[in-house]
Structures are given as C-alpha cells and as structure tokens.
C-alpha cells in the first residue's frame, strides 16, 4: 500500500487550524453581541479611531456632569423645603411683632401712700416687699411724711440680695416698680400708732398689673425651629455647614445665647494691693441732706466727730461740715470740691485709709460714697477680677487684658468663650487662669482661681489689667469741678399791713442800683409789696431776677458764681400802727466756679478685632463715634481713634481728650473749670458679622479658620458654567432672622425698653424675609438651571452615543446569525477532527 503521509497529516493540521479559527471568530462575535461594539481595540477602527476617541470622551464628560448634578440635587431639594419653612416662620413672626394683640410686657407697680398727722414718737410704719419687711419707727423730729417715705425707699433699694423691685419716694408716696415683666412679688403696708397718739395711715395699692407678653412662647418656639432647620443634615454633612458641607454644627442652642442688647454677666476688676510707695489714695464723696428742726447729724472722720443741728439747707450743711473738717484740721485728710450738694474727702497718704461714718436722726441722712477705695501697700501688686451673672449661656466671651512690661509692653487680651457646659462661674475663672498661666511668652503675672468666680492676678512688678464680658465701656469722674451756684436772697415783709404811706426801700451796692421803693396803700399785703418790688427790680435789668415765692420776695443772680449785695429797709413807718422792718435772708449762697476742670475717664475693655462695632462718646449732648474695621489690635487703638475725633471736632467738643497709659484702654476727657461734664459711652454691635468672623451662634469656628469660613460651595455643571449652590448659616439674612428673634426675646422680658427693642426686631425680620426670599429664589434658579443642564447633557449623550454606534455598533441579529453559523462550522470541524484522530499508525503510514 502506498503511503500518503502528507495528505493525512495535512488534513489533521487543517482540522485543528479550522477549529481554532472558528473558536476565535466565535469569541469575537460573542464579545460583539455582549458589548454591542465591533471591537474594544481602537486600532480595529482605522481612520475612525480619532473621531471615536473624541466622541467617547465627550460622552464620559457629560455623563460626569449629570452624575455631579444628581448628587447636588438632593441638597437643592432639601434647601427648597427649608427655605419654604423659614419664609413661613419669618412671615409669622413679623406679623406677631406687629399684631394688635401682641401686648407689650408690663412691670408690676405698687404705690404706698401715707396719711394722717406726723409728730408722735414711736409710730411704726411697715412695708413688706416680696416677703421682706422694712420698718421705720418715728422719733418725733420728722418734718414730713416725705422723710419717712424716703427712708423706707432707701431701705428697699439697698437690701441685699437685691429684690425684684425698686422703690422711689415722691413726697408722701413710694412707688415700687418691678425690674422684670409680670407679677413677681407681693406688697403690703401697715402702721402701728402709739397709744393716745395721732391717727396715721399707710396704704398699699396695685396701680399696674404685671403681665407677660403673649408672644414669649412663640418667640422661643421659633428659635428652636430655626435651630433645627439650620442644623439639618443630608447624608454625612450639615446642609447649612457652608463650604464643602462642613461637618461642624452650624448653630448652637439659640435660646441660650447672650442678650444682644447687653450681657447679663459682668466682670469687675480692682487693684486690692499696690506696690510701695503707691500713688492711689482713698477718695470719698459726702452728699449732704436738708436738716429740719430738731434734726441733727454727726459725721466722724478718722475718729473725730462733728455734730450739726438743723434747720440747715443742703448747701449750709455742706459748707459747715467741710469747714469743720478743714478747720481742725483732721490729720491725714484733705477737703475739696465743696459745692451746694456736698464735698470730697481724700486721704493724704497712699495706702492709709480714711474712716468716715454718718449718724443722724434725719430719716434721709447725708450719705458717704467711696469713689476710690483705699488700696494697701505691699511687696506685690494684686488685682482681683470678680465674675457675676448666670451660667449656661452659650457664646459669652470673658476676657482679661494684661500689660506687664518688660514681658509685654503692649496689652495682651486673653479670652474664653463659653460653650454652655460650664457648671458655675468658678469653671470660667479656672479657664481664664489656665489661659493666662500657659500663655507664651509667659507673663510676669501669676493667675490664681480664688473661688466664688474670682481670679487673682499678682506680680512683684507693676502691671495693668482689666476684665470684661464682651466689649465693655464705662465712664468715671476722676476729678470734680465745682459748678457755680447762683445766689438767692429772700426778703420777708412782716407787716402788719393796712397803714397808708409805709415806705419799703431796697438798695443794691453790687451792682449799684436803686433805690427801689414801694409806698403802701390800705389794701396792700406782703405779696403785693413783694410783687411791686419785683417789678421794679426786674425792669432795671441789673443782672438779677426777682419773683414772689411763697408770698415773699426772692431775688436770684442771673449768672451763677456772680454775687450781688442788697439791703432792704423800712424807710418810712406811717401811723397809726408800728410796722416791722423787712427781714433779709441769704437762702442760697453764691459759689464761684472752681479752679479745677472736671476730668472723666472713659475705660474700654474686652477683645478687639470685631468689625462694625460703633463706639459713641457723648459729652453734654455732643456726640462723636468711631466704627471699627477689625484691624484694631487692642482697646488702646480704639481709645486713640476716639481721642483724635474728639480733638478734631468742629465746633470744638465740650472737652478735650488724651489717651491713657499704654494697656489701660482709656481716654481722659478734660472740661472747662466750673463747667460740669455729662459724659456717656455706648457700644453698638452690627446686625451682621462679615466673613470670616464667626457668628455669635457658632462656637466652633474661629476667625482664623479660613478653610471653614462658611462660604458657599461651587459646582460646575457644564463647560464654563459654575454655580454656587450651598448656603451658609452665616448668611446675613439668616443672621438677621436669628438676631431679630433674640431682640424680641429680650424685649418681652424688658418692659422699660420693649418698644425700642421690638422696633429693632421688626426691622431685622423685614430685612431677613427679603434676604431669605432672595436665597430661595437663588436656589430655585439653581434647581432650574441644573435640570436644564441635565436634560441638555442627556440629549447630547444620546446623540453622541448614536454617532459612536454608527462607527462601532453591530446588528445583534446579524451577529447572532453569525454565531449560529460559526457554531455549526465548529461542530463540523470537531466531527472531522474526531475522524482524523481515529486513524491508526499503520493506516496513517499506509
């Protein structure tokens, strides 16, 4: 048998190759059927490769935009719901602020009225306020019920701890007024007359019912609702967290924020020991009171008693007291600023105290007030800072400013902002102590928490410290001026009257004028004589004014500090009766203006750096103000700005100004000798705080956190199309809404300032509603633009996909038929291969 080796082996190889080709073709067809594309290899498409690459990239980019929009759309829809609710809340509160049935709060007012005959010894008058009994026992020297009323009012107002009401005496009545809205206390009164004495009465009546404003609950509920809305979370971020969905809580408990019109907390600082030899001396002001018949008062200065007996006017008592103390003289003291109402006593030696006490049977006696307490000398300076007020407030800033050269030649302010978890004031004091002691570079001052909400600063070197809650300011008079007093003389004409031809004469020797004469008729009396004399004196225009007062002639200098000299006489005593000569009395002595000008010290305290705070200084009705720009490094800088504005004022300000020593945060006003100053300082905070300064209702963010500045996030939804789509709790409209409700919250608790605070709340609510509607519109536009962009991108994706399909797409039916055909071919190839594989070696070689 001939061998056909080539033909048999070739058939075998052909069968194997055919199977492999069919399998490859089948794999390609299956991949085309699954992907819908001719090939995943771009080289397969030849000249269409570049176009196909471009089409694929465009589809991917547009699909990415769609995915981004879909992710942001959840936030946009949530914003829409929140803004709808915020608009409703703001609108409802705006209506509540202006609704006719929104009654303002009222403070309870009670009136105590005295009646009867005074003069008994041992009558007991009792007034009970809020469960505390105040009593006064008569001594028989009371000139009127006015003195008893004044004494009881003083007792009520000086009671410790302070009551919920204050008292004011006005004649024979006492008005007791609640310090807060609502019925807070009970008032009653009674009198126990001595046996066989005069019958007296004292009654207590309610003249105004205390009421709580009906919108208290509504305001608090609105604050709670807004807090929840601004803290809403979507996914893993806060909706109003600002830039990039901040994970910090946007707002804290809005019902526990400080009163925006003024903090209820305080920080009082005082130097309790000065370094020897010391410069500060004790200063006390004595305010005298009228002494009636039978009344006396004793003032004891450094153990030296001086007793004075009435009747004495307030001015006369001041003059006699000051003369007696000066005349001894009392060792260790000086007397100055003697005027019509009192005088000042100062120690002559720093660190040496002056002891002053006043005892009197006058129900409303003279008083002594310590203007500058004695500060003992020691090896170290010691300053005490006492904190007071409620705890649990969120966002209250306590600060201590220290200047201790050479360690710190410029003031350094240490601040602590409460988060509401502090259990007591000691916890706050402890925080400040830790911040002071750990400050770098270190202070030479050592801080200690001494308990009861007090911290102590001490150093063997002199330093300056002051403390504040928020931004504080106060005015103190460090040097008084003696204001001129107009002389007043009284002339009485005792009579008797009825004679015709009595002649009364008044001559002035300074200024020279007169004589002024009145010749009586049968119908004249003291009042008609006084009136005729007054008319003549006034017509002469000599610098005095004459009037009839209580039936007597009263002559007063037109120019305080400029005296006059006059003499009244009966120059003709006509028959038949003998007429008494007129009696002239100096009722008010002339006092010339003092040589020293008044000096007022304005002290600023607290952390600097806020934007938009308005510091306004008012002196005798003239005002200047300075608005901070946030670059002021300390309170000294603000004091210097105010000083410059005061000195540059046109027309000239009533006082000149100089800044205080470095670190004091002070400016010193100096007036004109003899002209008293009425100085005031106010601080007004802005209604919104610009970025990146944190809001009052976010305790987490610091002004240095630029990455968390609560700005709006950007989103790119198409080529060259970027939107700001997130919103921040720091937005001015939201700040105004919160501030509006906080002012309303303060107003409904403050009857005296209700209208002013509510007017502020109304305006802020109006502005907030406009701003929130603008935000809502912005969000709606974003929603619309995003929806339109999504539709545009989807349409483009469809079109681009169609174009790519034309290049790389396959017909599934055609591919399926080819797969079926390939499967048949593969089956046949496998059959042929099986036949070939059965050939034996002998057959194969045959």
């Amino acid at each position: 048998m001939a061998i056909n080796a080539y033909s048999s082996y070739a058939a075998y190889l052909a069968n194997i190759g055919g199977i492999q080709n069919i399998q490859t073709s089948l794999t390609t067809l299956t991949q085309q059927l699954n992907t819908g594309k001719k090939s995943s290899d771009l080289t397969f498409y030849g000249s269409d490769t570049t176009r196909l690459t471009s089409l694929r990239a465009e589809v991917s980019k547009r699909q990415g935009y769609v995915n981004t929009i879909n992710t942001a759309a959840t936030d946009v829809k949530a914003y829409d719901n929140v803004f709808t609710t915020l608009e409703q809340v703001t609108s409802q509160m705006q209506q509540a602020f202006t609704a006719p049935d929104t009654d303002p709060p009222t403070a309870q007012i009670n009136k105590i009225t005295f009646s009867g005959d005074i003069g008994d010894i041992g009558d007991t008058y009792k007034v009970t306020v809020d469960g505390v009994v105040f009593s006064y026992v008569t001594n028989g020297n009371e000139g009127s019920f006015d003195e008893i009323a004044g004494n009881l009012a003083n007792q009520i107002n000086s009671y410790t701890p302070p009551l919920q009401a204050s008292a004011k005496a006005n004649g024979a009545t006492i008005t007791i007024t609640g310090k807060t809205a609502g019925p807070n206390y009970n008032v009653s009164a009674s009198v126990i007359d001595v046996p066989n004495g005069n019958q007296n009465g004292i009654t207590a009546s309610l003249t105004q019912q205390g009421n709580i404003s009906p919108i208290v609950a509504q305001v608090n509920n609105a604050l709670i609702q807004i807090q929840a809305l601004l803290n809403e979370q979507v996914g893993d971020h806060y909706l109003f967290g600002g830039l990039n969905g901040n994970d910090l809580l946007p707002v804290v408990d809005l019902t526990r924020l400080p009163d925006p019109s003024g903090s209820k907390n305080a920080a009082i600082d005082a130097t309790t020991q000065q370094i020897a030899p010391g410069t500060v001396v004790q200063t006390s002001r004595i305010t005298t009171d009228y002494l009636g018949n039978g009344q006396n008062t004793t003032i004891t200065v450094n153990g030296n008693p001086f007793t004075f007996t009435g009747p004495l006017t307030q001015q006369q008592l001041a003059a006699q007291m000051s003369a007696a103390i000066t005349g001894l003289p009392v060792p260790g003291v000086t007397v100055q600023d003697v005027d019509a109402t009192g005088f000042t006593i100062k120690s002559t030696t720093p660190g040496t105290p002056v002891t002053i006490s006043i005892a009197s049977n006058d129900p409303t006696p003279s008083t002594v007030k310590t203007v500058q307490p004695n500060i003992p000398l020691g090896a170290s300076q010691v300053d005490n800072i006492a904190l007071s007020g409620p705890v649990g407030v969120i966002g209250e800033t306590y600060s201590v400013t220290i200047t201790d050269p050479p360690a710190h030649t410029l003031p350094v302010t240490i601040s602590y902002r409460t988060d509401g978890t502090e259990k007591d004031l000691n916890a706050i004091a402890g925080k400040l102590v830790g911040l002071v002691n750990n400050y770098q570079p270190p202070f030479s001052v050592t801080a200690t928490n001494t308990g009861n909400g007090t911290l102590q600063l001490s150093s063997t070197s002199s330093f300056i410290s002051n403390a504040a809650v928020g931004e504080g300011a106060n005015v103190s008079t460090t040097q008084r001026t003696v204001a001129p007093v107009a002389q007043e003389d009284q002339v009485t004409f005792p009579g008797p009257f009825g004679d015709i031809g009595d002649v009364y004469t008044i001559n002035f020797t300074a200024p020279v004028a007169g004589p002024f004469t009145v010749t009586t008729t049968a119908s004249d009396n003291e009042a008609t004589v006084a009136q005729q004399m007054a008319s003549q004196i006034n017509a002469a225009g000599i610098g005095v004014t004459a009037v009839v007062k209580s039936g007597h002639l009263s002559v007063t200098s037109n120019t305080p500090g400029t005296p006059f000299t006059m003499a009244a006489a009966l120059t003709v005593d006509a028959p038949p009766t003998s007429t008494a000569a007129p009696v002239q009395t100096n009722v008010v002595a002339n006092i010339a203006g003092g040589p020293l000008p008044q000096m007022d010290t304005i002290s600023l305290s607290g952390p600097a750096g806020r934007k938009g705070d308005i510091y306004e200084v008012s002196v005798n009705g003239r005002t200047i103000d300075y608005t901070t720009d946030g670059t002021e490094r300390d309170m000294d800088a603000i004091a210097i700005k105010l000083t410059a504005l005061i000195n540059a004022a046109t027309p000239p300000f009533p006082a000149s100004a100089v800044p205080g020593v470095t670190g004091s945060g002070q400016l010193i006003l100096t007036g004109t000798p003899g002209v008293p100053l009425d100085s005031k300082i106010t601080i007004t905070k802005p209604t919104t705080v610009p970025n990146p300064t944190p809001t009052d209702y976010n305790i987490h963010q610091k002004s240095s956190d630029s990455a968390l500045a609560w700005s709006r996030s950007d989103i790119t939804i198409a080529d060259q199309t970027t939107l700001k789509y997130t919103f921040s709790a720091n937005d001015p409209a939201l700040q105004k809404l919160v501030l509006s409700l906080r002012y309303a919250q303060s107003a409904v608790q403050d009857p005296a300032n209700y209208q002013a605070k509510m007017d502020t709340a109304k305006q802020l609510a109006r502005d907030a509603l406009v701003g929130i509607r603008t935000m809502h519109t912005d969000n709606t536009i974003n929603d619309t633009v995003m929806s339109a962009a999504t539709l545009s991108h989807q349409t483009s994706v469809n079109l681009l996909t169609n174009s790519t399909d034309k290049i790389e797409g396959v017909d599934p039916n055609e591919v399926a038929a080819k797969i079926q055909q390939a499967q048949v071919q593969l089956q046949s190839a496998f059959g042929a291969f099986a036949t070939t594989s059965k050939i034996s070696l002998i057959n194969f070689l045959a």
Side-chain angles (χ1 to χ4, degrees), residues 544-595:
V544 298
T545 298
V547 297
V548 178
K549 186 184 293 184
S550 301
H552 309 305
L553 175 66
S554 176
V555 181
T556 304
S557 173
N558 292 347
T559 307
T562 301
F564 62 86
T565 305
M566 59 176 277
L570 178 68
T571 52
V572 176
D573 185 5
T577 59
S578 178
T579 305
V583 178
Q584 182 175 333
T585 305
N586 177 227
V587 179
V588 179
N590 177 74
I591 296 180

Side-chain angles (χ1 to χ4, degrees), residues 531-548:
Q531 184 59 61
Q532 293 177 68
M533 196 67 77
S535 298
Q536 294 182 54
I537 294 172
N538 291 335
I542 58 174
V544 298
T545 298
V547 297
V548 178

Side-chain angles (χ1 to χ4, degrees), residues 814-843:
E814 180 181 348
V815 173
K818 288 182 178 180
I819 290 175
Q820 186 176 7
Q821 181 180 358
Q823 289 173 337
V824 172
Q825 291 175 348
L826 185 61
Q827 186 66 35
S828 299
F830 273 119
F833 176 75
T835 301
T836 305
S837 64
K838 293 177 181 179
I839 301 175
S840 64
L841 179 60
I842 296 174
N843 293 334

